[in-house]
Amino acid sequence: MITCIRRCALSVLALAAVASPVAAAMAQDRPAPISESEVRSHIAVLASDEFEGRAPGTAGETRTLDYLAKTWASYGLVSGTNDTTRPWFQPVPLVERKPYGQAVSAVARGKALALKEDGVVLAGRNPTDRVTGEPVFVGFGVKADGTLNADVQGRVVLMLSAEPKFAGAAKLPNLRDRQKMLADAGAAAVLITAPEGASWGALRAQLANGSMRLASDDKGAKIGGVLRGDVTQALMRAARLSPDDAIASAQDAAFAPIILPVTLDLATSALVRAFASHNVIGKLPGARPGSGAVIVLGHWDHFGICRSEEAEDRICNGAVDNASGMAVLLTVAERLARSAGAGAPLDRDVYFMGTTAEERGLLGAYHFADNPVVPLDQILVALNIDTVAIAPKGAPVALVGRGENGLDEIVDQVAIAAGRTVDSDTEANAFIRRQDGWALAAKGVKSIMAGGSFSDMALLQAFLTTVYHQPDDELTDATPLGGAADDANLHVDLVRHFADEAKYNPAPTGD
Ligand SMILES: [Zn+2]
């Protein structure tokens, strides 16, 4: 179908060239808008059961990478890795861990303490791990200056998961950073209290799913764990502490950590797998090398086979999240490559990247930011595309990243010129850290996610609270693709603008 659309359109162009050079030039500039059916045809492939939900490191990854690279190449894109030894695919070394078993026992004053084991979830770093010792309750783990409040070398640490707020203190490290600090300081096991308000069942299921990390960032204590509230209380009572008093005293920046005279014995087993997944990167070379680059990115990965054998539907197909975004990357590349092939190349190189392991913490995007294929200061704009098949045709354009990088006015003007209305509030910024563009923005790249999906929060929430990350995120006749086609056309215009030296020529950063 794609080949047909392309051939038919090309033959129309050829006829126009014979008929009138002016009409031909116009046709080159303005090919037919990207249609819903073009977007649908790519989603149908990427979200099909044959692609097995596109989990990193599976057969689904191989099929996905192959489809993306071959389709881009068929349009005339070249490899964008800028590495002739590794065309198209940038390896992203990952470590995946799945917990398999755990054992927990406790002894207080010579007597075994009955801890409810279903209230403890442990995850070990190695195939087997064991840590024994008296836990030190560190409160939030930090002093008012943000440094650790205890010597934790070799210890079992028990820490509150809530964010510390000491009177008069500056911003203190968040939970993840505090866990890292404890591991870096040599803690053998880091146990945290279950976050307030979190469903214990959901938390357990999430932890049982395992974790994935970049091999380059694979640090941590031997054992990590979460304790349900009643287990934390039982430990404190066994140490003759009032749980309420101990937790209240930790709210004070002068809190002194307390060693609980209870011997904990923690053991874990896990399946640990190191493997390389890949970002796939294509390039539409510009006419003016050295004039900077534009990157359009979206994540290709999803959760794969996400239900156990007895489930009726085992595959999380990720049709909206994010086969729809990849479909937009494909159609946008096709339109731009077609214009370039017809003699109207853009000034700047345009990169198209499908990232891996976004669902596991933006890992592919972080890897790219650490190992960019062009220096990051040459990437003038990053346009991320995620979860586009939500809004109907004509939805206003919202911006994740509004007010963050001076691009608002340009995007608004391009959107209005394309016949869209603009949603100028900053509601969409609630998602700024939850999307791949964040990994680049964190390193100073001007990064935005523009589109209709983030303009109607009620519509977005309706998706997030139902089929999102479930086997039901499938392509159906009812999948709204009007907004996705709109957003695809918008991105053709945005890339044309940002890749044009005359239209967009920002002063180099640092000036
Ligand atoms: Zn997702």
Side-chain angles (χ1 to χ4, degrees), residues 299 301-303 318 320-322 358-360 386-387 434 463-464 468-469 473:
H299 71 91
D301 71 301
H302 198 60
F303 288 101
V320 175
D321 177 16
N322 185 34
E358 184 271 354
E359 302 286 15
R360 313 305 295 263
D386 197 349
T387 307
R434 286 176 60 179
F463 169 73
L464 293 176
Y468 173 68
H469 290 184
D473 181 4

Side-chain angles (χ1 to χ4, degrees), residues 190-276:
V190 177
L191 307 176
I192 61 167
T193 56
E196 196 120 352
S199 138
W200 179 250
L203 197 67
R204 261 184 103 180
Q206 194 195 330
L207 294 167
N209 233 332
S211 65
M212 208 181 268
R213 308 181 73 152
L214 285 174
S216 58
D217 182 36
D218 185 31
K219 295 180 199 142
K222 272 210 296 196
I223 293 179
V226 186
L227 306 185
R228 201 171 54 199
D230 60 300
V231 174
T232 304
Q233 289 171 11
L235 270 180
M236 289 180 167
R237 284 203 197 93
R240 303 218 161 123
L241 284 177
S242 144
D244 287 350
D245 291 352
I247 291 167
S249 66
Q251 312 296 321
D252 191 319
F255 168 77
I258 307 164
I259 292 172
L260 309 183
V262 177
T263 302
L264 270 182
D265 188 356
L266 311 170
T268 57
S269 61
L271 202 65
V272 183
R273 180 169 77 123
F275 69 102

Side-chain angles (χ1 to χ4, degrees), residues 103-108 113 115 120 122 130-136 156-158 189 191 227 231 235 260-267:
V104 182
S105 63
V107 175
L113 181 68
L115 281 183
V120 180
L122 301 178
R130 186 172 179 191
V131 173
T132 307
E134 292 183 339
V136 54
V156 178
V157 177
L158 173 60
L191 307 176
L227 306 185
V231 174
L235 270 180
L260 309 183
V262 177
T263 302
L264 270 182
D265 188 356
L266 311 170

Side-chain angles (χ1 to χ4, degrees), residues 379-393:
I379 299 178
L380 303 183
V381 181
L383 302 165
N384 187 34
I385 303 179
D386 197 349
T387 307
V388 289
I390 286 183
K393 188 169 176 52

